[in-house]
C-alpha cells in the first residue's frame, strides 16, 4: 500500500535562546514519536516462539527488493550450535510470507510453516555442540500493519523502503529468532535492488556490483547484534562521510539522506561528532569502533537505533544525541526483557540530557523541572513494565523514558557522580552481559559492587514501585547558628509507603545561603544542623535531582513561653554532640554523662543567662549507650539516653 511519508523538518538553531526554549519539547517529541512508531506491531503473539535448543552464531541475509513494490524475496542462511540434542529446530516467520524450500548443504529438508513458526526437521538427531547451518528460501508481502516493520512509500515522488523491527517486527519480514535471548555473533546483508537506488544497512559496506538493471550491495557487521537491530533501507540516497577521532581511531561517520535534505544533514551532522567523543570519554569508546557510526534518513518522525546505522527522520540535535546513546545502552548491552526497556530508553534519555547539560548549562534547572513535572503529572506508574503485550506501555514516554532517566539522576545523587559512573562503566564492561542482554538486577549488582551500598530498597521503591514523594519541611531556628528540622513525607501511590532518599535543603536569607543534605529514612524524622546564620527561607531539592511534587517548607517560631527546654543532637552521634538549653530561670546548670555501668565520665557547668549551646567532645569515649543528666537548682533534673556509634 502506498504510504504518505511524514517528515519532521526541524531547524536546529545555533542561537542559544532557541535551544533553551526547544529542549524540553524535543525530549517530548522523541518519546512520543518512538512510542507511535512501535504501535504498528500486532501484539497477539508478542514473544518469540523459536525453539531454545540452538544458539544462532551468524546470519547471511540475501534479499531482492524494489522500493516501489511492497515485496521481499531471498534467502537467509543461519549458522548455529545445537544446545540440546534434537531432530528439529524452529524459527519465527509470519504466515503471510511463503517458504519455498529449506536446505542444509545440498540436501532439502522437510518443514512446516504454521502459526508464524517455521519448524525444520532433520534426517537424524543432532547432538549438543553440533555446529551446522540451514538456508531458508522465501518470498512474499510482509504483513501490512500501518507504518509497519517493513515499509514502502515515497519522498517527493521517489520510492523508498525501510525496516523498523522493534520490538516484535523482525519476523514480519525475515526468518529469525525474534526474542531477546540470542544475538548473532555477526551478519552479512546482501541487497539487490534496481540500479537507480542505494541500499544501507549495518556495519561496513564491502562492495557494490552494478548491472544494467540492478545494483547489489554487500554489508558486513562483525559484532554481536540483537535481531530487531538488523536493518535495511533503500531509495535514491545522497551519501557523505565525516570522521571523528576516538582515542587513536579515526571513526567514519557515514550519512545516507534524501537529496532534498542534504544541506541540513551536512550542516547538523558535526553536532553528533562532538557527542560521540563525549560519550566515549564518559562510558568507554564507541562500542563498534572497528566499523562506523552512521545516519540513514527514513520517513517516520522519530528515530531508531539500528546498530552502527541509526535511522532518523531529520538531524535534530537531541534526537541524534538520544539515538547515539543507544549504541552503548540498547545495542552493546540490550535489555533482556521488554519489562526492562528503561535500560535502553531511560539511559538514552539520560545521556542526551547529560549532553545538553554539558553544552547548555544554563538550561539545567528549567529542563529537569519540566521533566519532573511530566513524570508527576499522574500519581502512579512504575519504570518496570507490567504489561509487555501493550507496546504503548513498553514505550511510555513518561515512565520508560523520563522516569527511567530520573531514576539515574537519583542514583547519581544517592551515590555521588564518581561512584555512579565507575559503577556504570563496570556494568558496561561486565563480561556476563557485554555485547549481550541485561536485566535491572545486573545494573544493581554492578553499582552495589562499586559502592558497597545495598540498593535493594531503592529499586523496590523507584523501579518496581509507583509514584513519588511530597515533602513538608518544618524548621526552627535555634539561636543564631543552629536549626531544628522535621521532615514529613506523603506518597502519591499506595505501592510505596515511604521513599528513603537523601534530600538537599537550601537555607537562605537576603545575603547568605547554605545547602545541607539530610538522609531521610522515616516520616517525621528530626535533624539538627549548624547553619552559621539566621535563615528566612528553605528550598527543597533546589537542583531538581529528585522526582517530587508540591513540596512545602515553613519556619516554626521557637516556643519562647515554654520553660526549661533542652535539645540534644545529633542522636546517635560519633565524635561529639550538642546540648541546647534555653528558657531556664536558673543561673547555671550541671551537665553529667554516665556510661552503661553508671560511672561518671564527663561533667561541666554552663551559664544560663539566656540560652546555651554546649558541644561535648566524645572522641575519647568508647562506642555504646550513655546517659546525659542535666541538673539546675535544687528541683530541675533531666535525663536522656544517648548512643555513640
Amino acid at each position: 500500500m502506498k504510504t504518505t511519508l511524514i517528515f519532521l523538518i526541524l531547524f536546529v538553531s545555533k542561537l542559544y535562546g532557541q535551544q533553551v526554549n526547544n529542549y524540553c519539547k524535543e525530549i517530548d517529541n522523541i518519546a512520543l514519536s518512538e512510542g507511535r512508531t512501535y504501535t504498528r506491531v500486532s501484539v497477539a503473539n508478542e514473544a518469540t516462539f523459536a525453539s531454545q535448543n540452538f544458539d544462532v552464531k551468524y546470519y547471511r541475509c540475501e534479499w531482492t527488493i524494489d522500493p516501489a513494490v511492497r515485496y521481499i524475496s531471498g534467502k537467509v542462511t543461519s549458522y548455529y550450535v545445537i544446545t540440546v540434542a534434537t531432530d528439529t529446530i524452529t524459527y519465527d516467520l509470519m504466515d503471510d510470507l511463503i517458504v519455498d524450500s529449506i536446505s542444509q548443504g545440498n540436501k532439502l529438508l522437510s518443514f512446516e510453516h504454521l502459526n508464524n513458526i517455521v519448524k525444520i526437521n532433520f534426517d537424524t538427531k543432532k547432538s549438543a555442540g553440533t555446529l551446522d547451518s540451514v538456508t531458508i528460501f522465501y518470498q512474499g508481502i510482509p504483513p501490512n500493519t500501518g507504518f509497519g516493520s517493513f515499509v514502502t512509500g515515497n519522498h517527493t515522488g521517489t520510492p523508498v523502503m525501510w525496516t523498523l523491527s522493534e520490538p516484535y517486527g523482525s519476523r514480519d519480514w525475515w526468518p529469525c529468532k525474534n526474542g531477546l535471548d540470542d544475538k548473532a555473533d555477526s551478519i552479512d546483508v546482501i541487497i539487490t535492488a534496481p540500479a537507480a537506488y542505494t541500499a544501507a544497512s549495518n556495519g561496513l559496506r564491502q562492495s557494490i556490483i552494478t548491472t544494467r538493471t540492478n545494483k547489489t550491495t554487500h554489508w558486513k557487521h562483525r559484532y554481536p547484534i540483537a535481531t530487531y537491530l538488523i536493518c535495511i533501507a533503500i531509495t535514491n540516497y545522497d551519501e557523505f562521510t565525516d570522521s571523528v577521532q576516538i582515542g587513536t581511531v579515526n571513526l567514519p561517520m557515514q550519512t545516507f539522506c534524501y537529496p532534498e535534505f542534504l544541506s541540513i544533514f551536512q550542516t547538523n551532522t558535526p553536532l553528533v561528532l562532538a557527542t560521540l567523543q563525549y560519550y566515549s570519554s564518559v562510558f568507554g569508546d564507541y562500542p563498534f569502533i572497528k566499523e562506523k557510526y552512521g545516519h540513514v534518513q527514513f520517513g517516520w518522525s522519530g528515530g531508531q537505533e539500528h546498530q552502527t546505522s541509526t535511522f532518523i527522520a531529520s538531524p535534530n540535535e537531541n534526537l541524534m544525541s538520544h539515538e547515539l546513546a543507544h549504541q552503548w545502552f540498547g545495542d552493546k548491552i540490550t535489555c533482556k526483557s521488554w519489562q526492562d526497556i528503561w535500560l535502553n530508553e531511560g539511559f538514552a534519555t539520560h545521556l542526551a540530557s547529560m549532553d545538553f547539560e554539558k553544552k547548555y548549562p544554563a538550561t539545567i534547572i528549567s529542563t529537569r523541572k519540566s521533566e519532573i513535572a511530566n513524570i508527576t503529572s499522574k500519581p502512579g506508574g512504575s519504570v518496570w513494565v507490567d504489561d509487555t503485550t501493550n507496546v504503548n506501555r513498553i514505550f511510555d514516554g513518561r515512565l520508560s523514558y523520563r522516569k527511567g532517566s530520573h531514576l539515574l539522576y537519583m542514583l547519581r545523587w544517592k551515590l555521588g557522580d564518581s561512584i555512579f559512573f565507575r559503577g556504570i562503566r563496570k556494568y558496561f564492561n561486565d563480561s556476563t552481559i557485554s555485547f549481550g542482554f541485561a536485566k535491572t538486577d545486573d545494573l544493581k549488582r554492578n553499582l552495589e559492587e562499586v559502592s558497597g551500598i545495598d540498593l535493594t530498597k531503592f529499586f523496590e521503591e523507584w523501579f518496581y514501585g509507583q509514584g513519588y514523594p511530597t515533602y513538608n519541611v518544618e524548621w526552627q531556628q535555634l539561636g543564631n547558628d543552629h536549626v531544628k528540622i522535621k521532615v514529613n513525607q506523603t506518597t502519591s501511590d499506595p505501592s510505596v509507603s515511604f521513599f528513603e532518599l537523601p534530600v538537599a535543603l537550601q537555607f537562605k536569607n537576603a545575603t547568605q545561603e547554605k545547602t545541607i543534605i539530610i538522609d531521610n529514612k522515616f516520616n517525621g524524622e528530626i535533624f539538627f544542623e549548624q547553619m552559621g546564620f539566621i535563615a528566612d527561607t528553605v528550598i527543597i531539592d533546589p537542583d531538581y535531582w529528585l522526582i517530587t511534587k508540591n513540596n512545602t517548607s515553613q519556619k516554626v517560631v521557637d516556643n519562647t513561653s515554654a520553660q526549661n527546654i533542652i535539645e540534644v543532637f545529633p542522636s546517635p552521634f560519633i565524635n561529639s554532640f550538642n546540648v541546647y538549653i534555653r528558657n531556664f530561670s536558673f543561673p547555671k546548670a550541671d551537665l553529667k554523662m554516665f556510661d552503661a555501668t553508671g560511672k561518671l565520665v564527663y561533667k561541666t557547668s554552663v551559664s544560663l543567662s539566656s540560652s546555651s549551646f554546649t558541644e561535648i567532645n566524645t572522641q575519647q569515649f568508647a562506642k555504646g549507650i550513655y546517659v546525659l543528666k542535666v541538673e539546675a537548682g535544687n528541683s530541675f533534673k533531666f535525663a536522656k539516653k544517648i548512643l555513640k556509634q
Side-chain angles (χ1 to χ4, degrees):
M1 185 180 77
K2 188 174 182 181
T3 304
T4 301
L5 298 182
I6 302 174
F7 299 114
L8 180 61
I9 307 173
L10 295 176
F11 176 72
V12 180
S13 174
K14 294 185 182 296
L15 294 176
Y16 175 79
Q18 287 187 334
Q19 289 287 3
V20 173
N21 293 333
N22 291 339
Y23 178 63
C24 296
K25 185 179 292 185
E26 289 166 1
I27 294 176
D28 284 338
N29 288 340
I30 290 172
L32 292 173
S33 64
E34 288 189 348
R36 287 197 304 269
T37 299
Y38 305 132
T39 61
R40 85 271 182 233
V41 178
S42 169
V43 296
N45 297 319
E46 53 91 11
T48 178
F49 292 99
S51 57
Q52 301 302 303
N53 55 2
F54 69 109
D55 177 22
V56 170
K57 298 299 181 183
Y58 166 78
Y59 288 114
R60 181 180 177 89
C61 305
E62 301 174 67
W63 290 307
T64 299
I65 298 169
D66 183 343
V69 181
R70 184 181 180 81
Y71 199 86
I72 187 169
S73 65
K75 59 181 180 179
V76 173
T77 301
S78 62
Y79 283 75
Y80 53 83
V81 172
I82 297 294
T83 56
V84 178
T86 184
D87 56 6
T88 66
I89 58 173
T90 61
Y91 289 84
D92 296 298
L93 183 68
M94 296 298 282
D95 292 339
D96 304 67
L97 299 168
I98 300 167
V99 176
D100 297 317
S101 62
I102 300 177
S103 65
Q104 191 167 62
N106 295 321
K107 183 187 300 182
L108 291 177
L109 300 178
S110 66
F111 66 90
E112 303 165 33
H113 186 193
L114 295 170
N115 300 319
N116 306 317
I117 298 170
V118 178
K119 179 182 178 183
I120 302 172
N121 304 306
F122 301 130
D123 293 341
T124 59
K125 193 169 189 176
K126 307 286 186 179
S127 59
T130 300
L131 173 65
D132 216 330
S133 67
V134 295
T135 300
I136 301 175
F137 297 80
Y138 76 106
Q139 60 181 304
I141 302 173
N144 185 357
T145 51
F147 293 104
S149 47
F150 183 98
V151 180
T152 55
N154 69 82
H155 64 96
T156 60
T158 301
V160 60
M161 173 270 153
W162 73 82
T163 62
L164 201 163
S165 299
E166 189 177 18
Y168 308 122
S170 299
R171 64 179 181 177
D172 290 357
W173 59 281
W174 67 288
C176 59
K177 294 183 76 173
N178 200 48
L180 297 174
D181 55 3
D182 194 353
K183 287 189 177 184
D185 295 340
S186 63
I187 61 170
D188 282 275
V189 174
I190 300 166
I191 307 162
T192 299
Y197 304 118
T198 296
S201 187
N202 311 89
L204 293 175
R205 187 169 54 198
Q206 302 300 297
S207 64
I208 301 175
I209 300 173
T210 304
T211 67
R212 186 174 60 84
T213 57
N214 290 325
K215 184 188 295 181
T216 299
T217 307
H218 177 193
W219 290 89
K220 178 173 76 173
H221 183 51
R222 291 298 180 260
Y223 288 91
I225 184 168
T227 304
Y228 76 88
L229 294 171
I230 297 173
C231 65
I232 55 175
I234 308 167
T235 192
N236 65 329
Y237 284 120
D238 275 350
E239 175 187 347
F240 64 91
T241 300
D242 295 288
S243 64
V244 60
Q245 196 71 25
I246 307 292
T248 60
V249 175
N250 191 33
L251 180 75
M253 169 75 195
Q254 191 175 33
T255 300
F256 295 87
C257 64
Y258 303 156
E260 61 270 26
F261 283 80
L262 177 61
S263 177
I264 190 171
F265 270 86
Q266 288 177 327
T267 299
N268 287 1
T269 296
L271 296 171
V272 84
L273 301 181
T275 307
L276 264 162
Q277 291 177 319
Y278 175 50
Y279 291 165
S280 294
S281 69
V282 176
F283 301 103
D285 285 347
Y286 172 67
F288 312 105
I289 199 161
K290 294 180 181 179
E291 296 186 357
K292 73 162 196 303
Y293 183 59
H295 283 156
V296 177
Q297 190 172 16
F298 76 144
W300 201 257
S301 58
Q304 173 59 33
E305 64 276 10
H306 299 125
Q307 204 154 295
T308 73
S309 189
T310 287
F311 285 16
I312 59 174
S314 65
N316 169 269
E317 186 173 9
N318 192 52
L319 175 63
M320 291 191 297
S321 293
H322 179 101
E323 302 301 343
L324 172 62
H326 277 307
Q327 302 297 309
W328 283 260
F329 301 101
D331 291 7
K332 180 184 177 183
I333 296 181
T334 307
C335 63
K336 194 172 185 177
S337 164
W338 297 113
Q339 292 181 319
D340 294 279
I341 187 61
W342 83 284
L343 295 176
N344 296 13
E345 299 301 348
F347 267 85
T349 303
H350 191 78
L351 265 64
S353 293
M354 287 173 53
D355 185 35
F356 265 60
E357 289 185 359
K358 180 175 183 289
K359 292 175 180 175
Y360 312 109
T363 69
I364 291 174
I365 297 301
S366 61
T367 300
R368 292 183 187 179
K369 186 176 180 180
S370 174
E371 291 173 347
I372 291 170
N374 174 268
I375 296 165
T376 60
S377 62
K378 296 180 182 179
S382 63
V383 177
W384 175 70
V385 176
D386 53 1
D387 181 7
T388 58
T389 67
N390 183 339
V391 181
N392 285 325
R393 175 61 185 90
I394 296 173
F395 298 97
D396 187 305
R398 184 176 71 91
L399 301 175
S400 298
Y401 291 68
R402 285 187 186 80
K403 193 172 183 182
S405 171
H406 273 269
L407 191 156
L408 295 173
Y409 271 119
M410 291 188 294
L411 280 169
R412 286 173 59 186
W413 173 248
K414 182 178 179 69
L415 301 177
D417 271 3
S418 176
I419 291 174
F420 172 82
F421 284 113
R422 281 197 288 123
I424 295 300
R425 286 191 291 271
K426 189 173 188 300
Y427 164 75
F428 183 67
N429 294 304
D430 184 340
S431 61
T432 66
I433 57 175
S434 182
F435 289 105
F437 300 99
K439 300 201 74 173
T440 298
D441 280 347
D442 294 303
L443 173 66
K444 174 177 176 288
R445 169 173 50 82
N446 279 280
L447 291 173
E448 287 178 336
E449 288 175 1
V450 169
S451 68
I453 297 173
D454 185 352
L455 295 172
T456 300
K457 193 166 184 61
F458 177 89
F459 280 93
E460 286 176 352
E461 292 168 358
W462 286 110
F463 175 62
Y464 294 105
Q466 301 187 46
Y468 54 85
T470 293
Y471 289 102
N472 172 252
V473 173
E474 299 176 352
W475 59 283
Q476 179 181 351
Q477 191 81 35
L478 302 180
N480 294 325
D481 293 323
H482 290 75
V483 290
K484 177 182 180 181
I485 307 163
K486 182 179 182 181
V487 183
N488 300 301
Q489 181 191 120
T490 58
T491 62
S492 66
D493 186 274
S495 63
V496 180
S497 60
F498 184 84
F499 290 92
E500 289 188 15
L501 283 172
V503 182
L505 302 176
Q506 185 182 57
F507 287 78
K508 302 177 68 173
N509 62 25
T511 60
Q512 295 171 288
E513 66 177 52
K514 180 179 181 179
T515 298
I516 64 169
I517 299 172
I518 57 171
D519 194 8
N520 186 208
K521 295 184 180 299
F522 58 87
N523 201 22
E525 191 171 7
I526 293 176
F527 302 86
F528 293 88
E529 297 287 341
Q530 186 171 8
M531 196 55 52
F533 62 92
I534 297 175
D536 56 31
T537 303
V538 172
I539 299 173
I540 302 168
D541 186 29
D543 294 322
Y544 291 90
W545 286 97
L546 309 179
I547 300 173
T548 65
K549 185 178 183 180
N550 294 333
N551 299 323
T552 58
S553 66
Q554 62 239 36
K555 186 173 185 178
V556 178
V557 178
D558 193 2
N559 187 354
T560 56
S561 62
Q563 293 295 307
N564 305 331
I565 299 174
I566 300 175
E567 306 275 8
V568 181
F569 57 91
S571 181
F573 59 93
I574 299 176
N575 293 321
S576 67
F577 66 90
N578 296 284
V579 182
Y580 179 47
I581 303 174
R582 62 196 186 280
N583 297 348
F584 269 52
S585 57
F586 307 100
K588 71 182 186 73
D590 295 322
L591 278 61
K592 300 176 182 178
M593 186 173 166
F594 300 86
D595 66 15
T597 67
K599 179 182 176 181
L600 178 67
V601 295
Y602 180 87
K603 179 181 179 181
T604 190
S605 294
V606 295
S607 172
L608 299 177
S609 56
S610 55
S611 62
S612 172
F613 264 107
T614 302
E615 181 179 7
I616 298 178
N617 189 316
T618 63
Q619 286 183 315
Q620 73 275 27
F621 299 144
K623 296 178 181 179
I625 296 174
Y626 294 84
V627 175
L628 174 71
K629 291 185 178 180
V630 180
E631 298 176 352
N634 296 319
S635 59
F636 181 83
K637 293 184 179 181
F638 168 89
K640 181 179 178 64
K641 283 186 178 181
I642 53 178
L643 173 65
K644 179 177 180 180
Q645 290 183 331

